[in-house]
Amino acid sequence: MKRVSLAKRKTIYDLAELAGTSASAVSAVLNGNWKKRRISSQLAEKIIRIADEQGYAPNMQASVLRRERSSIIGMIVPKYDNRYFGSIVERFEAMARERGLFPIITCTRRDPDLEMEAARAMISYQVDYVIATGATDPDRITDLCAAAGVRTVNLDLPGTHSPSVISDNFQGALELTRRVLDNCEKELARKAPLMFVGGRGTDHNTSERIRGFRAAHHEIGITPDENLILACGYAPEKAEQSLKALAEGIGELPHGMFVNSTISLEGVIRWIRRSDHYGERKPQIGCFDFDPFVALLGENIEMVRQDVPKMLDAIFDIIDNGISDRHLIEIMPIAESMA
Amino acid sequence: MKRVSLAKRKTIYDLAELAGTSASAVSAVLNGNWKKRRISSQLAEKIIRIADEQGYAPNMQASVLRRERSSIIGMIVPKYDNRYFGSIVERFEAMARERGLFPIITCTRRDPDLEMEAARAMISYQVDYVIATGATDPDRITDLCAAAGVRTVNLDLPGTHSPSVISDNFQGALELTRRVLDNCEKELARKAPLMFVGGRGTDHNTSERIRGFRAAHHEIGITPDENLILACGYAPEKAEQSLKALAEGIGELPHGMFVNSTISLEGVIRWIRRSDHYGERKPQIGCFDFDPFVALLGENIEMVRQDVPKMLDAIFDIIDNGISDRHLIEIMPIAESMA
DNA sequence: TTGAAAGCGCTAACAG
DNA sequence: CTGTTAGCGCTTTCAA
């Protein structure tokens, strides 16, 4: 059964026979290499017409097997559950296709083993490039790929063995913190330190954001309380639990907070609603990430939106130009306030 | 340069030489077919050890070229900008991998031409199956794939030329509408009809939901106003504009509404906030879709969450069992209220 | 201007 | 138990 339908698939030999020419001519025409081979435009047109009529689809496996480069490009991404990674993937796909590259994307759910396995699978499919997005261990991926002659670029989280494009986490956090401190000061009529919630203290982005968070406090001559820096992971539940535990421990929480992602913010808002810790007087919040519904929440929330288009421009700049210096490009995120 | 690194890539012939055996033995061992060939476990272990040492990665393009089936499975998806499609993709990937299938996903942004092109590309990569998710014209995709001997299944939006798995839109909308009507009646102390916002009147899902919407009204002996059914597309701006235009046209809007997706809801909420049409007395809303931030919005919102796990179970049931009846499976979505 | 032919890395039938 | 061999469909010299 299945054999029959597959057996029908036309090859360039079938087309050659129908056109009364050779497979190599068909190949050249269908790849647009026919000026180099100086095939008559008559023959070219005929071949194209026949390919069309026959519903011919090239066999990319055969093509890739024979070729030097596959024109397949892989991307590893941690999650599809937020706007940030969603827009990265969507734009990546479009930009890859614009360049005649075939994108292959794998979601690894922040699991280091899955990341490695995904990279291995991509190598087996002969990808020319791997973009490791938000990878927990980018250098291991780079090394694995390098051993197979596959280049890599890191996105969102930096590595040291290949070029990286990330947000300017320090500067972004600095400015976001300034805005929230400012909002707090206006509301309370005095300077007051904020708390920090969410992210992994071990990852580059979180530690840079904490650095920016501290710097903004120092600028106005106050020092954030180190016990109020809760790098408790990204999951909403973690943020919720941490806040609960902290509130039980120290009583009253600061009136403003820096939240490290929309994912963590989910837990934060839930806790605020459930605990009623703040009563009517909602806290001032700054969120290092953007979501359109957050903008409608009705809390006092400042956001920064990571500049995905610029980041991907930088990624493809590296790819298009074959750059492999292990440098770090930092892209400034964009300020967003509630409407 | 690049040539050098690629030239290094080990093949089964290299491994065979190192192991003092033949390529076919290596192939059999590495594919786990070595019981059928009754290769000594000694040789097998040796081959595996050497493959490991050499960092061998199989060339899937060569393998697929030779094989009958590719074990590659394609999915076409409209957008990555909401939780629903995000979770579909994430789960699809995981389930495909569980089965030893390699998933290839393409985002076509609700563009029919892109959908066809994506299907063509997938055929060229020899996919065994295509899942067309939320496709604007599923049957065209099915026909194109069928001509190449590729099976298809439709997800989220149904087609007539291949099996389809979708939400039970009628029943889901019926129950959602009942809940909102009920909330309205409690608040207003009288029965009052709702309005309907968002979606494409031409697509199956929207028209089924409208049918459910009407049925729920009829149950309690009232008739919804046909002018208040705004199937204005999915984009937030469309919803916002439609509401604005309608409010300008007829003055006061109904106190309750059925919103066809979180994407449309974004525009609805924005309009409610900006126009202040409802003042302090927020309208009762029902949203046919789920987003965790919506659950925190502080409006009176009922939601239904489409049952992605069940839908994908049904999809893989069809695939695993090679079913090709053109039937329609409808999965009941799950009720969600604000916390 | 065109065609013949070799071979990419792998699988599977067949022959030991 | 194991090796030899013939392709899968395509690209790319090379020769005409």
Side-chain angles (χ1 to χ4, degrees):
Chain A
M1 280 296 278
K2 199 180 295 163
R3 250 200 153 294
V4 173
S5 51
L6 274 140
K8 261 209 318 255
R9 215 111 114 191
K10 294 285 182 296
T11 72
I12 51 172
Y13 288 96
D14 299 324
L15 300 186
E17 201 175 334
L18 287 166
T21 180
S22 71
S24 45
V26 174
S27 170
V29 168
L30 263 26
N31 289 309
N33 303 354
W34 55 294
K35 31 204 55 171
K36 208 192 149 195
R37 285 187 56 109
R38 306 197 307 185
I39 287 168
S40 71
S41 57
Q42 226 185 7
L43 214 208
E45 273 169 36
K46 187 175 177 189
I47 288 172
I48 289 171
R49 185 177 48 76
I50 291 177
D52 237 47
E53 284 169 7
Q54 300 294 318
Y56 171 77
N59 182 325
M60 291 310 282
Q61 322 288 357
S63 170
V64 167
L65 178 59
R66 193 58 180 70
R67 257 190 230 287
E68 170 91 339
R69 293 185 48 221
S70 69
S71 294
I72 302 175
I73 183 167
M75 171 175 267
I76 285 170
V77 77
K79 292 288 286 175
Y80 290 119
D81 67 355
N82 60 71
R83 295 299 184 106
Y84 175 52
F85 291 126
S87 61
I88 285 177
V89 170
E90 196 167 318
R91 203 173 174 90
F92 168 71
E93 271 194 26
M95 291 181 80
R97 254 184 277 279
E98 268 172 23
R99 288 161 172 75
L101 300 173
F102 187 79
I104 283 180
I105 296 152
T106 296
C107 169
T108 53
R109 289 171 283 168
R110 302 187 203 285
D111 174 340
D113 293 339
L114 255 184
E115 284 170 11
M116 290 300 279
E117 210 170 308
R120 241 186 296 273
M122 288 177 174
I123 290 169
S124 280
Y125 281 94
Q126 313 297 111
V127 292
D128 289 334
Y129 252 103
V130 168
I131 317 299
T133 309
T136 50
D137 195 348
D139 288 342
R140 255 173 89 213
I141 295 174
T142 299
D143 295 346
L144 178 71
C145 288
V150 173
R151 306 186 150 199
T152 53
V153 194
N154 304 306
L155 177 57
D156 182 62
L157 278 173
T160 59
H161 298 184
S162 54
S164 304
V165 176
I166 65 172
S167 284
D168 189 335
N169 292 290
F170 172 76
Q171 199 65 32
L174 177 70
E175 297 187 8
L176 179 62
T177 309
R178 279 180 189 151
R179 280 152 59 205
V180 181
L181 283 169
D182 210 49
N183 289 347
C184 271
E185 186 173 350
K186 282 197 189 109
E187 195 186 343
L188 302 175
R190 61 177 172 83
K191 295 187 199 305
L194 314 178
M195 58 189 299
F196 184 103
V197 186
R200 292 179 178 174
T202 52
D203 79 33
H204 171 95
N205 293 357
T206 299
S207 65
E208 280 296 285
R209 291 174 198 172
I210 291 176
R211 201 162 66 81
F213 174 81
R214 287 202 184 101
H217 282 76
H218 293 320
E219 279 180 351
I220 58 165
I222 59 182
T223 306
D225 184 339
E226 294 298 318
N227 297 318
L228 301 186
I229 296 182
L230 311 173
C232 53
Y234 287 103
E237 298 72 31
K238 301 275 185 60
E240 200 171 350
Q241 279 161 20
S242 296
L243 286 175
K244 182 156 180 269
L246 189 67
E248 281 164 6
I250 68 166
E252 197 178 349
L253 299 185
H255 189 66
M257 57 179 98
F258 181 117
V259 183
N260 205 6
S261 71
T262 46
I263 294 295
S264 303
L265 183 65
E266 218 181 291
V268 169
I269 301 284
R270 209 147 59 200
W271 179 77
I272 292 174
R273 295 287 166 80
R274 284 191 186 153
S275 71
D276 202 37
H277 182 90
Y278 290 99
E280 281 305 293
R281 203 161 179 196
K282 295 301 182 205
Q284 296 290 341
I285 296 178
C287 177
F288 201 107
D289 210 346
F290 177 80
D291 181 293
F293 278 116
V294 171
L296 297 170
L297 269 180
E299 316 284 318
N300 311 308
I301 305 185
E302 302 283 335
M303 283 174 280
V304 288
R305 188 205 291 254
Q306 305 191 62
D307 195 340
V308 170
K310 279 224 183 83
M311 292 170 92
L312 284 173
D313 285 347
I315 289 283
F316 278 101
D317 186 55
I318 289 170
I319 293 171
D320 294 343
N321 300 307
I323 296 168
S324 58
D325 317 354
R326 297 155 187 195
H327 59 337
L328 180 67
I329 297 178
E330 294 183 274
I331 308 284
M332 190 61 197
I334 303 156
E336 301 255 2
S337 280
M338 292 192 41
Chain B
M1 282 295 278
K2 199 180 294 164
R3 251 197 153 296
V4 173
S5 51
L6 274 140
K8 258 204 328 253
R9 215 110 115 193
K10 294 285 182 295
T11 72
I12 51 173
Y13 288 95
D14 299 323
L15 300 186
E17 202 174 335
L18 286 166
T21 179
S22 70
S24 50
V26 174
S27 170
V29 168
L30 264 26
N31 289 308
N33 303 354
W34 55 294
K35 32 204 54 173
K36 207 191 150 196
R37 288 186 53 108
R38 305 199 308 186
I39 288 168
S40 71
S41 56
Q42 227 186 6
L43 215 208
E45 273 169 36
K46 187 175 178 190
I47 288 173
I48 289 171
R49 185 176 48 76
I50 291 176
D52 237 47
E53 284 168 8
Q54 300 294 318
Y56 171 77
N59 183 326
M60 290 310 283
Q61 311 291 356
S63 170
V64 167
L65 177 59
R66 194 55 181 68
R67 261 183 162 75
E68 170 90 341
R69 292 185 48 221
S70 70
S71 294
I72 301 176
I73 183 167
M75 172 175 267
I76 285 169
V77 76
K79 292 287 287 175
Y80 290 119
D81 68 355
N82 61 71
R83 297 298 184 105
Y84 175 53
F85 290 126
S87 61
I88 284 178
V89 170
E90 196 167 318
R91 202 172 175 91
F92 168 71
E93 271 194 27
M95 291 182 79
R97 254 183 278 278
E98 269 172 22
R99 288 161 172 75
L101 301 173
F102 187 79
I104 282 179
I105 297 152
T106 296
C107 169
T108 53
R109 290 171 283 170
R110 301 187 203 284
D111 174 339
D113 294 339
L114 255 183
E115 283 170 10
M116 290 301 278
E117 210 169 309
R120 242 186 295 273
M122 288 177 173
I123 290 168
S124 280
Y125 281 95
Q126 314 296 113
V127 292
D128 289 334
Y129 252 103
V130 168
I131 317 300
T133 309
T136 51
D137 195 347
D139 288 342
R140 254 173 89 213
I141 295 174
T142 298
D143 295 345
L144 179 70
C145 288
V150 174
R151 304 186 152 198
T152 54
V153 195
N154 304 306
L155 178 57
D156 182 63
L157 278 173
T160 59
H161 297 184
S162 53
S164 304
V165 176
I166 66 172
S167 285
D168 188 334
N169 292 290
F170 172 76
Q171 199 64 33
L174 177 69
E175 296 187 8
L176 179 63
T177 309
R178 279 180 188 151
R179 280 153 59 204
V180 181
L181 284 168
D182 210 49
N183 289 346
C184 271
E185 186 173 349
K186 282 197 189 107
E187 195 186 343
L188 303 175
R190 61 178 172 83
K191 296 186 200 303
L194 314 178
M195 58 189 299
F196 184 103
V197 186
R200 293 178 179 174
T202 51
D203 79 33
H204 172 94
N205 292 357
T206 299
S207 65
E208 280 296 284
R209 291 174 197 172
I210 291 176
R211 200 163 67 82
F213 174 82
R214 288 202 184 102
H217 282 77
H218 292 321
E219 279 180 351
I220 59 166
I222 59 183
T223 306
D225 183 338
E226 294 298 318
N227 298 318
L228 301 186
I229 295 182
L230 311 173
C232 52
Y234 286 104
E237 299 72 33
K238 300 275 185 61
E240 200 171 349
Q241 279 161 21
S242 296
L243 285 176
K244 183 156 179 268
L246 190 67
E248 281 165 5
I250 68 166
E252 196 177 353
L253 299 186
H255 189 66
M257 58 178 98
F258 181 117
V259 183
N260 205 7
S261 70
T262 46
I263 294 296
S264 303
L265 184 64
E266 218 181 291
V268 169
I269 301 285
R270 208 148 59 201
W271 179 78
I272 292 175
R273 296 287 166 81
R274 283 192 187 153
S275 71
D276 203 37
H277 182 90
Y278 289 100
E280 282 305 293
R281 203 162 179 194
K282 296 300 181 204
Q284 296 290 341
I285 296 178
C287 177
F288 202 106
D289 210 345
F290 177 80
D291 181 293
F293 278 117
V294 171
L296 297 169
L297 270 180
E299 316 284 318
N300 311 307
I301 305 185
E302 303 282 335
M303 284 175 278
V304 289
R305 187 205 292 254
Q306 305 191 63
D307 195 340
V308 170
K310 279 225 183 85
M311 292 169 92
L312 284 173
D313 285 347
I315 290 284
F316 278 100
D317 185 55
I318 290 170
I319 293 171
D320 294 343
N321 300 307
I323 296 168
S324 58
D325 317 355
R326 298 157 185 192
H327 59 337
L328 180 66
I329 297 178
E330 295 183 273
I331 308 283
M332 190 61 197
I334 303 156
E336 301 255 2
S337 279
M338 292 193 42

